[in-house]
Short mmCIF file of all heavy atoms in Angstrom, two decimals:
data_model
loop_
_atom_site.label_atom_id
_atom_site.label_comp_id
_atom_site.label_asym_id
_atom_site.label_seq_id
_atom_site.Cartn_x
_atom_site.Cartn_y
_atom_site.Cartn_z
N ASP A 1 95.67 117.27 102.15
CA ASP A 1 96.40 116.14 101.59
C ASP A 1 96.53 115.11 102.70
O ASP A 1 96.88 115.45 103.84
CB ASP A 1 97.79 116.56 101.12
CG ASP A 1 97.73 117.50 99.92
OD1 ASP A 1 96.82 117.33 99.08
OD2 ASP A 1 98.58 118.39 99.84
N VAL A 2 96.25 113.84 102.38
CA VAL A 2 96.21 112.81 103.40
C VAL A 2 97.10 111.64 103.02
O VAL A 2 97.11 111.20 101.87
CB VAL A 2 94.76 112.30 103.62
CG1 VAL A 2 94.72 111.21 104.69
CG2 VAL A 2 93.82 113.44 103.99
N ARG A 3 97.81 111.14 104.02
CA ARG A 3 98.59 109.91 103.89
C ARG A 3 98.07 108.93 104.92
O ARG A 3 97.79 109.29 106.06
CB ARG A 3 100.07 110.18 104.14
CG ARG A 3 100.96 108.96 104.05
CD ARG A 3 102.43 109.33 104.26
NE ARG A 3 102.86 110.23 103.20
CZ ARG A 3 103.68 111.27 103.39
NH1 ARG A 3 104.18 111.54 104.58
NH2 ARG A 3 104.00 112.05 102.38
N ILE A 4 97.92 107.68 104.50
CA ILE A 4 97.48 106.60 105.39
C ILE A 4 98.64 105.63 105.56
O ILE A 4 99.30 105.28 104.58
CB ILE A 4 96.29 105.82 104.78
CG1 ILE A 4 95.04 106.69 104.70
CG2 ILE A 4 96.01 104.56 105.59
CD1 ILE A 4 93.91 106.02 103.93
N VAL A 5 98.84 105.17 106.78
CA VAL A 5 99.71 104.02 107.02
C VAL A 5 98.88 103.00 107.78
O VAL A 5 98.23 103.33 108.77
CB VAL A 5 101.03 104.38 107.76
CG1 VAL A 5 100.76 104.98 109.10
CG2 VAL A 5 101.93 103.16 107.88
N ASP A 6 98.84 101.78 107.25
CA ASP A 6 98.04 100.72 107.86
C ASP A 6 98.67 99.39 107.51
O ASP A 6 99.13 99.20 106.38
CB ASP A 6 96.60 100.78 107.33
CG ASP A 6 95.61 100.08 108.23
OD1 ASP A 6 95.78 98.86 108.45
OD2 ASP A 6 94.67 100.73 108.70
N ASN A 7 98.70 98.47 108.47
CA ASN A 7 99.28 97.16 108.20
C ASN A 7 98.23 96.14 107.76
O ASN A 7 98.55 94.98 107.52
CB ASN A 7 100.07 96.63 109.40
CG ASN A 7 99.20 96.32 110.60
OD1 ASN A 7 97.97 96.39 110.54
ND2 ASN A 7 99.84 95.98 111.69
N LEU A 8 97.00 96.56 107.68
CA LEU A 8 95.88 95.73 107.22
C LEU A 8 95.70 94.47 108.06
O LEU A 8 95.23 93.45 107.56
CB LEU A 8 96.05 95.36 105.74
CG LEU A 8 96.16 96.54 104.78
CD1 LEU A 8 96.34 96.03 103.36
CD2 LEU A 8 94.94 97.43 104.88
N SER A 9 96.04 94.53 109.34
CA SER A 9 95.90 93.35 110.19
C SER A 9 94.44 93.00 110.43
O SER A 9 94.12 91.86 110.74
CB SER A 9 96.60 93.57 111.54
OG SER A 9 95.97 94.60 112.27
N LYS A 10 93.56 93.95 110.29
CA LYS A 10 92.14 93.70 110.51
C LYS A 10 91.36 93.46 109.22
O LYS A 10 90.34 92.80 109.22
CB LYS A 10 91.50 94.90 111.23
CG LYS A 10 92.04 95.16 112.60
CD LYS A 10 91.48 94.16 113.55
CE LYS A 10 91.91 94.52 114.95
NZ LYS A 10 91.49 93.55 115.91
N ARG A 11 91.82 94.03 108.11
CA ARG A 11 91.05 93.97 106.87
C ARG A 11 91.96 93.69 105.69
O ARG A 11 93.10 94.11 105.66
CB ARG A 11 90.34 95.30 106.61
CG ARG A 11 89.34 95.65 107.67
CD ARG A 11 88.67 96.93 107.32
NE ARG A 11 88.03 96.81 106.02
CZ ARG A 11 87.21 97.70 105.52
NH1 ARG A 11 86.94 98.76 106.19
NH2 ARG A 11 86.68 97.53 104.34
N ARG A 12 91.42 93.04 104.72
CA ARG A 12 92.14 92.81 103.46
C ARG A 12 91.40 93.41 102.27
O ARG A 12 91.96 93.57 101.21
CB ARG A 12 92.36 91.31 103.22
CG ARG A 12 93.28 90.67 104.22
CD ARG A 12 94.70 91.10 103.97
NE ARG A 12 95.55 90.54 105.01
CZ ARG A 12 96.71 91.03 105.34
NH1 ARG A 12 97.19 92.08 104.73
NH2 ARG A 12 97.43 90.49 106.29
N ASP A 13 90.14 93.75 102.44
CA ASP A 13 89.31 94.26 101.35
C ASP A 13 89.23 95.79 101.39
O ASP A 13 88.18 96.38 101.34
CB ASP A 13 87.91 93.66 101.41
CG ASP A 13 87.19 93.98 102.72
OD1 ASP A 13 87.88 94.25 103.72
OD2 ASP A 13 85.96 93.96 102.73
N VAL A 14 90.38 96.42 101.49
CA VAL A 14 90.45 97.87 101.66
C VAL A 14 90.40 98.58 100.31
O VAL A 14 91.07 98.18 99.36
CB VAL A 14 91.75 98.25 102.40
CG1 VAL A 14 91.91 99.75 102.46
CG2 VAL A 14 91.75 97.65 103.78
N THR A 15 89.59 99.61 100.23
CA THR A 15 89.57 100.48 99.08
C THR A 15 90.10 101.83 99.53
O THR A 15 89.48 102.51 100.34
CB THR A 15 88.14 100.66 98.52
OG1 THR A 15 87.62 99.38 98.20
CG2 THR A 15 88.15 101.54 97.30
N VAL A 16 91.27 102.18 99.03
CA VAL A 16 91.90 103.44 99.42
C VAL A 16 91.27 104.56 98.60
O VAL A 16 91.20 104.46 97.37
CB VAL A 16 93.42 103.38 99.19
CG1 VAL A 16 94.06 104.70 99.53
CG2 VAL A 16 94.02 102.25 100.03
N PRO A 17 90.82 105.62 99.25
CA PRO A 17 90.21 106.73 98.52
C PRO A 17 91.17 107.34 97.51
O PRO A 17 92.38 107.38 97.74
CB PRO A 17 89.87 107.74 99.61
CG PRO A 17 89.82 106.96 100.87
CD PRO A 17 90.81 105.85 100.70
N GLU A 18 90.63 107.81 96.42
CA GLU A 18 91.42 108.49 95.39
C GLU A 18 92.14 109.68 95.99
O GLU A 18 91.60 110.41 96.82
CB GLU A 18 90.48 108.96 94.28
CG GLU A 18 91.18 109.59 93.13
CD GLU A 18 91.09 108.76 91.89
OE1 GLU A 18 90.42 107.73 91.87
OE2 GLU A 18 91.70 109.17 90.90
N GLY A 19 93.38 109.87 95.59
CA GLY A 19 94.14 111.04 96.01
C GLY A 19 94.85 110.89 97.35
O GLY A 19 95.47 111.83 97.83
N VAL A 20 94.75 109.71 97.96
CA VAL A 20 95.41 109.46 99.24
C VAL A 20 96.74 108.77 99.00
O VAL A 20 96.85 107.88 98.17
CB VAL A 20 94.52 108.57 100.15
CG1 VAL A 20 95.26 108.13 101.38
CG2 VAL A 20 93.27 109.32 100.54
N ASP A 21 97.74 109.20 99.73
CA ASP A 21 99.05 108.54 99.69
C ASP A 21 98.98 107.38 100.68
O ASP A 21 98.97 107.59 101.88
CB ASP A 21 100.14 109.55 100.08
CG ASP A 21 101.53 108.94 100.09
OD1 ASP A 21 101.73 107.85 99.52
OD2 ASP A 21 102.42 109.57 100.68
N TYR A 22 98.90 106.15 100.16
CA TYR A 22 98.72 104.98 101.01
C TYR A 22 100.03 104.21 101.15
O TYR A 22 100.70 103.91 100.16
CB TYR A 22 97.65 104.05 100.44
CG TYR A 22 97.57 102.75 101.19
CD1 TYR A 22 97.02 102.70 102.46
CD2 TYR A 22 98.06 101.58 100.63
CE1 TYR A 22 96.97 101.52 103.17
CE2 TYR A 22 98.01 100.39 101.33
CZ TYR A 22 97.45 100.37 102.59
OH TYR A 22 97.42 99.20 103.28
N VAL A 23 100.39 103.90 102.39
CA VAL A 23 101.58 103.11 102.68
C VAL A 23 101.14 101.91 103.51
O VAL A 23 100.57 102.08 104.58
CB VAL A 23 102.63 103.92 103.45
CG1 VAL A 23 103.83 103.05 103.81
CG2 VAL A 23 103.06 105.14 102.66
N GLU A 24 101.40 100.70 103.00
CA GLU A 24 101.13 99.51 103.81
C GLU A 24 102.34 99.28 104.69
O GLU A 24 103.45 99.07 104.21
CB GLU A 24 100.86 98.29 102.94
CG GLU A 24 100.49 97.09 103.77
CD GLU A 24 100.06 95.88 102.96
OE1 GLU A 24 99.86 96.01 101.74
OE2 GLU A 24 99.94 94.80 103.56
N GLY A 25 102.13 99.35 105.99
CA GLY A 25 103.22 99.18 106.93
C GLY A 25 102.72 99.24 108.35
O GLY A 25 101.54 99.51 108.60
N ASP A 26 103.64 98.99 109.28
CA ASP A 26 103.30 98.93 110.69
C ASP A 26 103.97 100.09 111.42
O ASP A 26 105.17 100.31 111.24
CB ASP A 26 103.79 97.59 111.25
CG ASP A 26 103.19 97.26 112.60
OD1 ASP A 26 103.13 98.17 113.46
OD2 ASP A 26 102.76 96.12 112.78
N VAL A 27 103.21 100.80 112.25
CA VAL A 27 103.78 101.93 112.98
C VAL A 27 104.78 101.48 114.04
O VAL A 27 105.48 102.30 114.62
CB VAL A 27 102.70 102.84 113.59
CG1 VAL A 27 101.88 103.51 112.51
CG2 VAL A 27 101.83 102.09 114.57
N ALA A 28 104.85 100.19 114.31
CA ALA A 28 105.85 99.67 115.24
C ALA A 28 107.21 99.51 114.58
O ALA A 28 108.19 99.23 115.25
CB ALA A 28 105.38 98.32 115.81
N ASP A 29 107.27 99.71 113.27
CA ASP A 29 108.51 99.58 112.51
C ASP A 29 109.14 100.96 112.32
O ASP A 29 108.53 101.86 111.75
CB ASP A 29 108.21 98.93 111.15
CG ASP A 29 109.44 98.81 110.29
OD1 ASP A 29 110.35 98.05 110.67
OD2 ASP A 29 109.48 99.50 109.24
N ARG A 30 110.37 101.12 112.79
CA ARG A 30 111.04 102.43 112.72
C ARG A 30 111.21 102.94 111.30
O ARG A 30 111.04 104.14 111.05
CB ARG A 30 112.42 102.35 113.38
CG ARG A 30 112.39 102.28 114.86
CD ARG A 30 113.81 102.19 115.40
NE ARG A 30 113.81 101.81 116.78
CZ ARG A 30 114.27 102.58 117.74
NH1 ARG A 30 114.77 103.76 117.46
NH2 ARG A 30 114.23 102.17 118.99
N GLU A 31 111.57 102.07 110.38
CA GLU A 31 111.78 102.50 108.99
C GLU A 31 110.48 102.99 108.36
O GLU A 31 110.48 103.97 107.63
CB GLU A 31 112.39 101.36 108.18
CG GLU A 31 113.82 101.04 108.58
CD GLU A 31 114.38 99.84 107.85
OE1 GLU A 31 113.79 99.40 106.84
OE2 GLU A 31 115.43 99.34 108.29
N THR A 32 109.40 102.30 108.65
CA THR A 32 108.09 102.74 108.15
C THR A 32 107.76 104.13 108.70
O THR A 32 107.35 105.01 107.95
CB THR A 32 106.99 101.75 108.52
OG1 THR A 32 107.28 100.48 107.94
CG2 THR A 32 105.62 102.22 108.06
N CYS A 33 107.95 104.31 109.99
CA CYS A 33 107.65 105.62 110.60
C CYS A 33 108.52 106.72 110.02
O CYS A 33 108.02 107.81 109.73
CB CYS A 33 107.84 105.55 112.11
SG CYS A 33 106.50 104.68 112.93
N ALA A 34 109.79 106.45 109.83
CA ALA A 34 110.68 107.46 109.25
C ALA A 34 110.20 107.87 107.86
O ALA A 34 110.25 109.04 107.49
CB ALA A 34 112.10 106.93 109.19
N ARG A 35 109.71 106.91 107.10
CA ARG A 35 109.24 107.18 105.73
C ARG A 35 107.91 107.94 105.72
O ARG A 35 107.75 108.90 104.98
CB ARG A 35 109.11 105.86 104.97
CG ARG A 35 108.86 106.04 103.50
CD ARG A 35 108.93 104.73 102.77
NE ARG A 35 107.69 103.99 102.98
CZ ARG A 35 107.62 102.71 103.31
NH1 ARG A 35 108.71 102.00 103.46
NH2 ARG A 35 106.47 102.12 103.47
N VAL A 36 106.95 107.53 106.55
CA VAL A 36 105.61 108.11 106.45
C VAL A 36 105.48 109.46 107.13
O VAL A 36 104.57 110.23 106.81
CB VAL A 36 104.51 107.16 106.97
CG1 VAL A 36 104.48 105.88 106.18
CG2 VAL A 36 104.63 106.91 108.45
N PHE A 37 106.36 109.78 108.07
CA PHE A 37 106.25 111.06 108.76
C PHE A 37 106.92 112.21 108.01
O PHE A 37 106.83 113.35 108.45
CB PHE A 37 106.81 110.96 110.18
CG PHE A 37 105.79 110.47 111.17
CD1 PHE A 37 105.72 109.13 111.49
CD2 PHE A 37 104.89 111.34 111.75
CE1 PHE A 37 104.77 108.66 112.39
CE2 PHE A 37 103.93 110.89 112.64
CZ PHE A 37 103.88 109.55 112.96
#
């Protein structure tokens, strides 16, 4: 089971694979980290 966290600073045309838990956010943000970990 895979979760992705990415702020999309490099890309906007992202296709998230089926079955992945995707979170748009920045790992520099404490609240995002608390949620995704």
Side-chain angles (χ1 to χ4, degrees):
D1 292 325
V2 180
R3 179 177 298 141
I4 293 172
V5 60
D6 200 300
N7 67 5
L8 302 179
S9 65
K10 297 284 186 184
R11 297 182 58 171
R12 294 287 176 202
D13 60 336
V14 174
T15 303
V16 177
E18 184 112 5
V20 171
D21 179 16
Y22 173 72
V23 177
E24 184 174 349
D26 195 315
V27 295
D29 178 65
R30 287 180 193 243
E31 292 176 14
T32 299
C33 285
R35 189 173 78 227
V36 300
F37 274 95

